[in-house]
Amino acid sequence: MSFDLPRNVILPVDAIDVRLDPGPHPFAVSNAEAIAENWRQEIAAKPALFDGTVVLLSELVYRDSRLVGRCHAVNYSTFMLWRKRRENSGAEHAYAHAMLVAGDNALVAIRMGAHTVNAGRVYFAAGSFEPVDFRDGLVDIDFNMIREVGEETGLDLSAAERGQRYHALSTASGTVIFRRYRVAESADELARRISAFVAAEADPEIEGPVIIRHAADLPDGLMGHMKPLIEWHFDGSDKVS
């Protein structure tokens, strides 16, 4: 198992070769009893949690502007225990952000709903990789991005203008792979559409949209990895990507 990539710096990424290993993750095998006990505690606190399937990395390296890794399907309950025991666990988390850029260059993020694990936190609409996001064992990052944005906001980004390349930021809490998705509508119009979608949902995952108009416009509840991404977008150094 190997995790070898620069931390706390935004990396250009030209290719992503993260593959799904059909075998169990060693963390899941060696912590089965603790996973079950922790899950009982988690659902007692938040009964709406669902023990679905996500993926957890056992390897990730950065070489020649490429991310290469291996991951395994695990129950969400396994992921929840890993969050508490991530240090020296032999596992890491990766996820993707479609950085939604409005026609006025503002960013449109979301605030998570009260019943979720990240209640009240602000980040770009996203979710963990799931087996459905893989094609012939290889992760389809853009499929994941478009799927998650659609599920959480009702917006369809399949026809949006995409940045020429991906970027990644790896921190102690995980690795986020992100890409700009530009649309013509203003931030206010996008926020209106998202709010209407949330209002029509019986059990919405998010509380609503959050507009970010400049680098210092940092909303309450912002996830720690978001500040560098926001600054990167507004600093003007990489507008073609």
Side-chain angles (χ1 to χ4, degrees):
M1 298 179 189
S2 173
F3 296 96
D4 184 11
L5 63 168
R7 305 291 190 176
N8 303 308
V9 60
I10 290 178
L11 306 168
V13 177
D14 292 325
I16 301 165
D17 185 358
V18 175
R19 298 185 179 273
L20 187 62
D21 188 318
H25 198 294
F27 180 83
V29 174
S30 60
N31 293 277
E33 291 185 8
I35 289 166
E37 176 56 31
N38 182 69
W39 185 243
R40 284 190 287 270
Q41 297 173 22
E42 296 285 356
I43 59 175
K46 289 185 178 291
L49 292 179
F50 173 65
D51 197 12
T53 304
V54 297
V55 303
L56 199 58
L57 291 165
S58 60
E59 181 177 354
L60 187 66
V61 298
Y62 179 73
R63 295 285 187 275
D64 301 321
S65 299
R66 299 174 69 244
L67 283 174
V68 180
R70 180 167 50 120
C71 57
H72 309 253
V74 301
N75 290 336
Y76 190 62
S77 52
T78 299
F79 176 75
M80 291 296 287
L81 179 70
W82 169 81
R83 279 166 49 114
K84 298 177 178 179
R85 299 185 178 182
R86 64 184 74 201
E87 188 174 352
N88 300 318
S89 66
E92 289 199 12
H93 184 224
Y95 53 100
H97 273 342
M99 180 181 280
L100 180 53
V101 184
D104 50 13
N105 202 45
L107 298 172
V108 181
I110 54 91
R111 188 180 301 278
M112 293 301 293
H115 63 288
T116 65
V117 170
N118 291 322
R121 305 308 298 273
V122 174
Y123 47 94
F124 297 114
S128 297
F129 299 144
E130 300 177 12
V132 70
D133 297 320
F134 290 77
R135 301 287 177 271
D136 297 322
L138 181 67
V139 71
D140 186 335
I141 297 290
D142 288 282
F143 179 85
N144 169 269
M145 292 176 175
I146 292 168
R147 176 179 65 79
E148 290 287 351
V149 170
E151 290 175 1
E152 294 185 3
T153 72
L155 300 178
D156 181 3
L157 296 186
S158 57
E161 177 189 348
R162 303 178 191 180
Q164 293 180 7
R165 72 192 327 179
Y166 304 98
H167 289 78
L169 174 66
S170 185
T171 69
S173 63
T175 298
V176 57
I177 304 165
F178 60 98
R179 188 180 205 176
R180 286 190 179 104
Y181 275 70
R182 295 184 180 274
V183 298
E185 295 97 325
S186 69
D188 287 336
E189 173 60 17
L190 291 173
R192 184 198 65 77
R193 289 175 58 191
I194 294 171
S195 295
F197 174 80
V198 171
E201 287 282 282
D203 187 24
E205 190 170 354
I206 70 171
E207 181 180 312
V210 177
I211 298 173
I212 302 169
R213 299 191 183 277
H214 52 81
D217 184 14
L218 303 178
D220 292 340
L222 192 70
M223 290 288 276
H225 70 272
M226 285 286 290
K227 186 174 184 288
L229 274 60
I230 293 167
E231 293 173 342
W232 174 86
H233 171 70
F234 287 110
D235 71 8
S237 64
D238 201 2
K239 289 301 182 188
V240 298
S241 62

